[in-house]
Amino acid sequence: MNEARILSEQETAEILAAADHYPDKSAASVEALKIVQKYRGWVSDDALKSVAGLLKMSPDELDGVATFYNLIFRKPVGENVILCCDSVSCWMLGADRIRERLSERLGIGLGETTADGRYTLLPIVCLGACDRAPVLMVGEELYEDVDESKIDELLKRYGEAWTNR
Amino acid sequence: MDKPLTQNIKPDLSAVTLDDYRRTGGYEGWAKALKDMAPMDVIEAVKDAGLRGRGGAGFPTGVKWSLVPQGESAGQKYVVVNADEMEPGTFKDRLLMEADPHQLIEGVAIAAYAVQADTAYIFLRGEYHLSARRLEQALAEARSAGYLGKNILGSGFDLEIHLHTSAGRYICGEETALLNSLEGKRAIPRAKPPYPQTSGLWGRPTVVNNVETLCNVPHIIRNGVDWYRGLGRGEDAGTKLFGVSGRVKKPGLWELPMGTPVRVLIEECAGGMRDGYTLRGFLPGGGSTDFLLPEHLDLPMDFGAMMKAGSRLGTGTMVVLDDRTCPVRMVLNLERFFAQESCGWCTPCRDGLPWVVELLEGLVAGRGRPEDLDLLEQLARLMGPGNTFCALAPGAAAPLQSALKYFRPDFERYLKPASSARVA
Ligand SMILES: Cc1cc2nc3c(=O)[nH]c(=O)nc-3n(C[C@H](O)[C@H](O)[C@H](O)COP(=O)(O)O)c2cc1C
Ligand code: SF4
Ligand code: FES
């Protein structure tokens, strides 16, 4: 809890640098939340309050912004967030099957995190790689033309999840 | 054939560096605008070139710029780049930002000079991490080379460009929702008028342009209006990135003259349908455009021609419907997207879209009633232009109403008992 109460010097510096790009500090709200998320994985209530203080916003106001955006996590997520595109071109080329295979391998459904905290599986809208459908994003990395072997490769790279099945 | 937008892009899609970019005339347009042209000359050139917005609506870019107040009393102004690309089936701006970031930066700079803005923001969708890294790198290069900053190339003009990365919501792409988002608020569209050109970011005059639109600008300024007009094959000027996804042999993205027939894109560039599949229809410009049919393949890819055929050129990235994909389920997938991404501000969109999804889900589950098809038609009309605050709902209505028109038997098939399993 303690480390969540106050932002690190690094976080504070990055947030203030982002805020410097705007005449009004609150314009950096989304970027500030993403900076916190980069270091902590998600945005806790305490972290949110500190950011709000830094940007001269009320915590409620900032939370209203935070909850509007899909990529701001207000609950803990796994070390590796897997985003599965479910939009039209990926859907057409078998995104459902890919997601089911991932669910089986990880032992979790969409919106869930593996027991070992290694993976979270989330749906995402079109990732702008429709010509290489179906696609996934793991962390900041795009996986294109995904099939069984790409799933193997992915799990090898980030580690097999511990499942109690 | 000239392909100005992609001429520098390397086969491995690594970023074009500043040196590479300068080798083919990069930043010459910027220098020319600053040294030889008054801001009004730049606006006139872009107007005369006939450049139309590549973000989906096709609004004439030079006209948009000319609506920004000029002169000493106009005060602080902004240029904002719409790099929120999130329309299902659209994958063009990502390539331009990842593979040739300086081209965009030069376009933004010239636009800023034209409207006399000293600050610009690139509003980038959060998932485009590689674009973000490459744009930051290119911005740093451009600053140290003196193309951005104070007193640029000794002209007395100052400009700073900031990258703003978002966090995932389709509605942020609507230009006034984007402005709210950029101000750090929830992304709800604003009432129009006033338009951003007179009252935009923090109430100041603001130009919002799509990534691809701005990438055209350096070439117009460097090579001239006549050259640019000559690139188009039909009524619209210039080239454009056109894409195809779905069950074609070679899905991808190509730079082609405006006015190129759809057939060239789908059959020649994309190699036609995969073996064993036939073409039933296509969404010409992303998920919010009306279906067209194989009989429309000879239409030129121009804004007007697509409109006349009952659809829109949109983003120019097509999604192909094959004979083994159920159009009803395809529409359901699209409507789920729009229902989820609605900002909830106006009733036809907030309440209409979940209802559409529910009706379509009922239909494919074999629970449909004959009157549901009429209800779907009514809902599509209710969400149409003029009834809502922004164009998300009319965009959602487009694939639905056109599917009901062209693929009615596919909807009706689900009404027959015990047949819903047939078209999986
Ligand atoms: C729901 C919605 C989403 C949109 N998303 C985008 C987008 O991601 N990128 C874009 O350039 N335009 C998008 N637009 C269009 C913009 O509102 C605006 O017309 C465009 O940025 C203007 O630029 P242009 O004139 O250069 O095309 C969207 C519109 C709507 C209604
Ligand atoms: S049409 Fe939909 S997305 Fe647009 S303002 Fe209304 S509710 Fe929001
Ligand atoms: S539909 Fe999946 S990347 Fe576009």
Side-chain angles (χ1 to χ4, degrees):
Chain A
M1 272 334 283
N2 207 20
E3 93 275 289
R5 198 163 301 143
I6 304 166
L7 302 173
S8 71
E9 271 175 37
Q10 180 71 20
E11 284 168 312
T12 306
E14 286 185 35
I15 291 170
L16 292 178
D20 215 31
H21 297 161
Y22 310 95
D24 175 356
K25 277 193 173 53
S26 61
S29 56
V30 171
E31 285 163 314
L33 294 167
K34 292 201 327 185
I35 289 165
V36 167
Q37 203 163 277
K38 182 173 79 187
Y39 292 105
R40 295 159 198 250
W42 65 293
V43 182
S44 67
D45 287 346
D46 290 338
L48 183 113
K49 272 185 211 138
S50 308
V51 172
L54 214 52
L55 300 179
K56 310 259 183 292
M57 296 170 80
S58 77
D60 281 351
E61 201 184 341
L62 184 60
D63 198 27
V65 172
T67 51
F68 189 82
Y69 296 93
N70 297 325
L71 298 179
I72 303 294
F73 306 131
R74 290 287 278 112
K75 285 188 299 196
V77 290
E79 253 169 81
N80 304 292
V81 177
I82 305 183
L83 302 173
C84 308
C85 174
D86 61 8
S87 286
V88 64
S89 310
C90 289
W91 166 80
M92 203 182 274
L93 289 155
D96 286 351
R97 222 172 38 244
I98 296 296
R99 199 199 54 239
E100 281 160 20
R101 277 302 284 145
L102 267 171
S103 277
E104 269 170 43
R105 294 284 293 267
L106 300 174
I108 51 171
L110 282 178
E112 295 175 357
T113 299
T114 53
D116 62 1
R118 208 190 273 276
Y119 293 101
T120 297
L121 204 55
L122 292 173
I124 190 82
V125 301
C126 179
L127 285 167
C130 326
D131 56 337
R132 309 292 301 278
V135 305
L136 302 171
M137 186 169 266
V138 188
E140 299 197 347
E141 196 124 355
L142 195 61
Y143 280 73
E144 303 175 312
D145 298 316
V146 178
D147 54 13
E148 289 283 325
S149 70
K150 283 269 171 77
I151 293 179
D152 289 340
E153 185 189 311
L154 186 161
L155 294 180
K156 208 174 285 161
R157 176 151 169 212
Y158 297 95
E160 201 72 47
W162 176 82
T163 64
N164 52 5
R165 287 168 306 134
Chain B
M1 193 173 70
D2 281 344
K3 294 183 180 176
L5 297 171
T6 55
Q7 66 187 9
N8 292 323
I9 293 183
K10 299 179 189 170
D12 68 354
L13 304 183
S14 60
V16 169
T17 63
L18 179 59
D19 286 342
D20 296 337
Y21 185 64
R22 277 196 291 219
R23 207 165 296 134
T24 54
Y27 289 109
E28 278 174 17
W30 182 215
K32 179 174 169 187
L34 286 175
K35 291 207 177 90
D36 306 336
M37 297 171 83
M40 265 309 168
D41 300 337
V42 176
I43 295 179
E44 283 307 311
V46 171
K47 222 194 253 179
D48 293 344
L51 174 61
R52 299 179 64 174
R54 307 299 198 228
F59 193 82
T61 306
V63 175
K64 183 183 276 187
W65 295 1
S66 69
L67 299 172
V68 174
Q70 290 278 14
E72 292 291 305
S73 59
Q76 179 70 51
K77 290 179 258 186
Y78 296 103
V79 167
V80 175
V81 184
N82 193 337
D84 196 51
E85 184 162 80
M86 242 195 242
E87 167 107 350
T90 302
F91 51 98
K92 63 183 185 72
D93 297 339
R94 187 166 69 87
L95 175 81
L96 292 169
M97 293 186 285
E98 285 180 3
D100 196 0
H102 281 289
Q103 177 173 247
L104 175 62
I105 292 168
E106 186 179 4
V108 179
I110 297 172
Y113 176 72
V115 302
Q116 293 288 291
D118 69 0
T119 308
Y121 295 100
I122 301 175
F123 187 98
L124 180 67
R125 79 174 282 194
E127 296 89 338
Y128 280 7
H129 302 286
L130 186 58
S131 299
R133 289 196 292 273
R134 293 196 171 163
L135 281 166
E136 284 291 15
Q137 167 81 28
L139 283 168
E141 284 175 350
R143 277 180 208 122
S144 42
Y147 294 126
L148 298 174
K150 298 270 177 223
N151 186 22
I152 300 166
L153 305 179
S155 64
F157 184 72
D158 303 338
L159 174 65
E160 198 41 77
I161 302 178
H162 301 291
L163 181 67
H164 176 102
T165 64
S166 183
R169 266 318 271 273
Y170 172 61
I171 192 62
C172 293
E174 197 281 336
E175 59 185 18
T176 60
L178 185 151
L179 296 175
N180 277 337
S181 181
L182 194 47
E183 290 181 12
K185 303 183 180 129
R186 293 169 75 99
I188 312 281
R190 298 177 179 173
K192 287 162 284 219
Y195 290 92
Q197 293 88 301
T198 51
S199 175
L201 200 55
W202 293 292
R204 307 305 313 164
T206 304
V207 158
V208 182
N209 271 131
N210 170 259
V211 169
E212 188 186 358
T213 309
L214 292 167
C215 287
N216 280 272
V217 171
H219 306 287
I220 294 173
I221 299 305
R222 190 172 68 240
N223 298 330
V225 167
D226 293 337
W227 167 83
Y228 189 80
R229 294 199 72 92
L231 293 175
R233 270 176 73 160
E235 58 192 49
D236 286 328
T239 59
K240 182 175 182 345
L241 296 187
F242 292 101
V244 187
S245 67
R247 285 203 176 86
V248 289
K249 287 206 180 88
K250 294 179 294 178
L253 199 58
W254 297 270
E255 181 176 0
L256 299 170
M258 289 295 286
T260 301
V262 181
R263 189 184 295 284
V264 171
L265 175 68
I266 294 182
E267 293 183 358
E268 290 174 28
C269 301
M273 301 303 287
R274 285 194 202 169
D275 294 335
Y277 293 91
T278 51
L279 177 73
R280 277 198 77 190
F282 56 95
L283 300 169
S288 65
T289 57
D290 289 76
F291 280 99
L292 291 176
L293 300 175
E295 70 193 49
H296 295 114
L297 280 175
D298 292 310
L299 283 177
M301 295 190 285
D302 276 326
F303 288 103
M306 289 292 152
M307 195 84 88
K308 248 177 263 152
S311 188
R312 288 189 306 120
L313 185 63
T315 58
T317 39
M318 313 211 164
V319 185
V320 158
L321 168 69
D322 60 80
D323 59 332
R324 290 201 242 158
T325 297
C326 171
V328 183
R329 287 174 191 261
M330 179 171 167
V331 171
L332 172 58
N333 175 278
L334 291 164
E335 300 306 326
R336 276 187 179 137
F337 164 84
F338 290 115
Q340 171 192 316
E341 295 300 323
S342 164
C343 82
W345 194 253
C346 33
T347 321
C349 181
R350 184 189 56 229
D351 297 346
L353 277 166
W355 198 0
V356 165
V357 169
E358 204 179 299
L359 290 169
L360 290 170
E361 282 174 345
L363 198 62
V364 300
R367 298 191 310 266
R369 304 160 307 165
E371 59 270 30
D372 288 351
L373 302 194
D374 297 330
L375 198 48
L376 283 168
E377 251 162 16
Q378 280 169 27
L379 285 167
R381 268 197 299 277
L382 189 70
M383 297 187 305
N387 297 331
T388 57
F389 223 52
C390 90
L392 183 140
L400 175 63
Q401 73 193 14
S402 52
L404 283 162
K405 180 166 75 181
Y406 292 136
F407 309 121
R408 187 122 190 149
D410 293 85
F411 286 83
E412 286 166 348
R413 199 174 307 143
Y414 282 111
L415 295 172
K416 298 199 187 101
S419 68
S420 61
R422 242 183 49 211
V423 250

